[in-house]
Amino acid sequence: MEQEEIISGLMQPVPRISPKYFYDQLGSKLFEAITRLPEYYPTRTEKALLEQQAADIKRLVGEVNTVIEPGAGNVEKARMLCQILQPKYFVGVDISAEVLKDGIDRLRHAQPTLDARAVIADLTNRLDLPEDIPMARRLVFYPGSSIGNYDPPQALEWLHRARSWVDATGGLLIGVDLPKEVAVLEAAYDDAAGTTARFNRNILAHVNTVIGSDFDPSQWSHRAFFNPVASRIEMHLQAEEGQRVRWPGGGREFAHGERIHTENSYKYALPVFMTMLREAGFAQVNTWTDERGWYALLYAQP
Ligand code: AVI
């Protein structure tokens, strides 16, 4: 299944690899390093917003039974939210088992009265939550502007699914990265220390382990740029030389300079994203933005 998906992507006229393959063990560590880079503003801007607006968030969201975090990663941000909202349950969902389980352990340690669970799942498939988690008063927490890594139709689909995880008493708290000066955006995805370049190249090492290919990551260079028409950062890997890459049962020729598209990161203007939320069945939306207007947290209710 995974193998077929990757090979089919590599065989496209414009070859691509899904960004979900960034997150093997090393990739997850590199992503954590990215979130601490001086150029990568989304994580720290969102954290500061959560801290500054804690009282207002608590007031608006009110009593919450369960916080559900799809793509919870190391559960760093949920810890703060659970402190603010004091839910009974926390359900973290992620494809990366080890990082998630460590994060859940740390959360249990920090908040012993919280019933915290780990669900290992690929979010592109169906999400099955533990059966004893009540339907009432659920809050889906989707921080980090991860919604931006889906193309808009898939992002809308994702919002519809999030709506289906809650009833009329629930809601969605979501982080969205906003459009801003191109130099700021491009630096965030092409940092001076080269961490994002390593993160991007590491996808090839991961692909090698999944499909048995012989990609040489050092033969590929990192490219990241803002596409103003689509309002997204695009990340690509560009072949330094012409080369043939082989895998069991096949292979492909890559020309010098040819690119593999590895990620899009959409930057939504607030009114655009609010329209998507309404389309997905969230009628009431509250927003908080930082003073530079770079990032937004939105609380959406059915
Ligand atoms: C996980 N996601 C929100 C990150 C982003 O900003 O799109 C992934 C990332 N790619 C490169 N740097 C960070």
Side-chain angles (χ1 to χ4, degrees):
M1 178 59 192
E2 277 191 336
Q3 281 101 324
E4 279 164 34
E5 184 194 18
I6 293 173
I7 291 169
S8 144
L10 288 172
M11 295 306 287
Q12 297 302 310
V14 178
R16 58 167 187 260
I17 302 172
S18 163
K20 72 181 179 192
Y21 295 105
F22 280 133
Y23 302 96
D24 63 352
Q25 219 184 343
L26 177 59
S28 298
K29 293 231 158 69
L30 286 169
F31 179 65
E32 275 186 43
I34 286 175
T35 64
R36 293 189 291 269
L37 291 169
E39 297 94 331
Y40 193 77
Y41 59 85
T43 311
R44 75 175 64 84
T45 308
E46 183 178 68
K47 186 166 179 247
L49 256 181
L50 260 179
E51 270 164 10
Q52 284 156 14
Q53 304 294 347
D56 208 34
I57 291 170
K58 171 88 187 154
R59 185 183 58 79
L60 265 167
V61 178
E63 202 181 305
V64 168
N65 212 333
T66 308
V67 169
I68 301 166
E69 187 182 1
N74 62 8
V75 197
E76 202 68 49
K77 292 169 201 131
R79 216 182 317 164
M80 197 195 296
L81 186 71
C82 289
Q83 245 149 28
I84 299 170
L85 298 176
Q86 298 286 321
K88 265 200 203 93
Y89 303 96
F90 173 79
V91 184
V93 188
D94 208 290
I95 192 176
S96 188
E98 215 170 307
V99 179
L100 178 63
K101 284 181 179 160
D102 286 353
I104 292 285
D105 282 346
R106 279 196 300 271
L107 180 62
R108 284 185 185 136
H109 191 76
Q111 294 177 44
T113 56
L114 179 67
D115 183 344
R117 319 268 184 95
V119 172
I120 312 303
D122 177 352
L123 283 165
T124 48
N125 298 326
R126 227 179 62 145
L127 174 61
D128 289 314
L129 293 180
E131 273 173 15
D132 60 324
I133 298 296
M135 190 63 190
R137 301 203 168 278
R138 289 178 174 180
L139 179 72
V140 176
F141 182 43
Y142 202 45
S145 70
S146 297
I147 193 74
N149 295 133
Y150 293 104
D151 286 327
Q154 283 73 47
L156 186 57
E157 212 174 281
W158 192 100
L159 294 174
H160 270 112
R161 288 207 296 149
R163 172 63 190 88
S164 75
W165 301 331
V166 303
D167 67 7
T169 62
L172 167 70
L173 184 64
I174 187 165
V176 174
D177 196 18
L178 306 175
K180 60 188 64 62
E181 211 186 307
V182 172
V184 173
L185 282 170
E186 291 187 342
Y189 293 83
D190 193 5
D191 56 287
T195 307
T196 311
R198 280 185 70 202
F199 173 74
N200 198 8
R201 269 191 218 103
N202 179 63
I203 206 170
L204 297 179
H206 187 202
V207 161
N208 282 344
T209 67
V210 179
I211 68 165
S213 51
D214 63 355
F215 275 105
D216 175 357
S218 70
Q219 289 294 309
W220 296 80
S221 53
H222 171 64
R223 292 279 174 272
F225 53 85
F226 187 64
N227 172 339
V229 177
S231 190
R232 69 188 189 201
I233 285 281
E234 293 186 12
M235 292 211 319
H236 301 257
L237 287 162
Q238 185 168 317
E240 291 278 291
E241 287 175 9
Q243 56 200 280
R244 177 158 187 87
V245 176
R246 294 171 187 81
W247 50 81
R252 174 176 177 151
E253 214 70 53
F254 291 94
H256 171 88
E258 195 170 355
R259 288 173 179 174
I260 302 175
H261 192 169
T262 52
E263 188 178 58
N264 290 321
S265 194
Y266 285 84
K267 310 301 167 190
Y268 287 104
L270 261 184
V272 174
F273 197 75
M274 285 167 75
T275 304
M276 285 166 72
L277 281 168
R278 288 200 191 94
E279 227 172 288
F282 293 100
Q284 204 189 318
V285 184
N286 289 84
T287 64
W288 298 272
T289 50
D290 60 301
E291 54 286 351
R292 290 183 294 199
W294 282 9
Y295 196 91
L297 265 177
L298 297 94
Y299 175 51
Q301 291 167 277

